Amino acid sequence: MHHRIIDSPIGPLTLVGEGERLLAIHLPKLGRAVPPPPDAALDGGALDEAARQLGEFFAGRRRAFELDLDPRGSEFQRRVWFELAEIGYGETISYAELARRVGRPGAARAVGAANGRNPLPIVLPCHRVIGSDGSLVGYGGGLPAKRVLLELEGATAAKAPAQSRLSLAS
């Protein structure tokens, strides 16, 4: 396992990977980088592509990611997390809509809990999920960071979705 810390408009992000697979993106806490796992060595270049694509996203030059991802969670959590990638750049949906999309229309709270445990925010864009009334709710990086990300994307429901090409580790 290895890590790298990169700068972003919402503060320093800690990337964690295994080989070239991205396992986690830790959002800053209190404006500081989250320390990497104790068994994660400093990245020797395997996370270059993830860092490059995130930089392009923050510069407004990338709408979708093309990365090898390996988020660790239950089958239900992974289904929720990868459904997030289907929410188009600049679009938002409610937790209830996300629950419907994963085939569990009455499970908005369970979907919200899975969304809150998303280990790959930004790449699996949990910031695009909002309250049914349009309010900004529930973001691990804090609501100001969620607002920055949505403003960066010009979040409107009318924009065409950008398709991500993400590969899952089995």
Side-chain angles (χ1 to χ4, degrees), residues 150-170:
L150 291 172
E151 287 174 357
L152 173 78
E153 295 182 11
T156 63
K159 294 198 178 206
Q163 295 300 313
S164 293
R165 287 192 320 222
L166 305 171
S167 60
L168 292 175
S170 313

Side-chain angles (χ1 to χ4, degrees), residues 6-48:
I6 64 170
D7 290 326
S8 83
I10 60 172
L13 304 176
T14 304
L15 311 183
V16 179
E18 193 169 78
E20 293 188 8
R21 293 173 304 173
L22 188 59
L23 301 177
I25 299 172
H26 297 290
L27 300 171
K29 299 289 184 211
L30 302 173
R32 295 183 179 194
V34 170
D39 58 339
L42 189 59
D43 178 49
L47 294 172
D48 286 352

Side-chain angles (χ1 to χ4, degrees), residues 4-166:
R4 172 187 291 190
I5 297 174
I6 64 170
D7 290 326
S8 83
I10 60 172
L13 304 176
T14 304
L15 311 183
V16 179
E18 193 169 78
E20 293 188 8
R21 293 173 304 173
L22 188 59
L23 301 177
I25 299 172
H26 297 290
L27 300 171
K29 299 289 184 211
L30 302 173
R32 295 183 179 194
V34 170
D39 58 339
L42 189 59
D43 178 49
L47 294 172
D48 286 352
E49 185 61 17
R52 183 184 69 78
Q53 288 189 33
L54 283 161
E56 290 172 354
F57 172 81
F58 288 120
R61 296 189 313 267
R62 175 169 291 276
R63 294 175 150 231
F65 294 92
E66 299 174 17
L67 298 167
D68 290 330
L69 307 177
D70 190 11
R72 310 271 164 92
S74 71
E75 182 180 328
F76 175 72
Q77 288 171 325
R78 288 172 58 90
R79 189 169 22 156
V80 169
W81 299 336
F82 281 97
E83 187 60 39
L84 295 170
E86 301 303 315
I87 305 169
Y89 182 94
E91 291 185 44
T92 58
I93 66 169
S94 69
Y95 290 95
E97 174 60 17
L98 183 57
R100 188 192 65 72
R101 290 184 183 189
V102 298
R104 302 273 306 271
R109 286 181 191 241
V111 164
N115 197 48
R117 290 184 182 92
N118 175 13
L120 291 163
I122 304 166
V123 172
L124 297 178
C126 51
H127 62 276
R128 295 177 187 159
V129 183
I130 60 174
S132 293
D133 63 356
S135 63
L136 297 186
V137 294
Y139 192 63
L143 294 183
K146 185 171 190 165
R147 184 172 289 107
V148 166
L149 293 169
L150 291 172
E151 287 174 357
L152 173 78
E153 295 182 11
T156 63
K159 294 198 178 206
Q163 295 300 313
S164 293
R165 287 192 320 222
L166 305 171

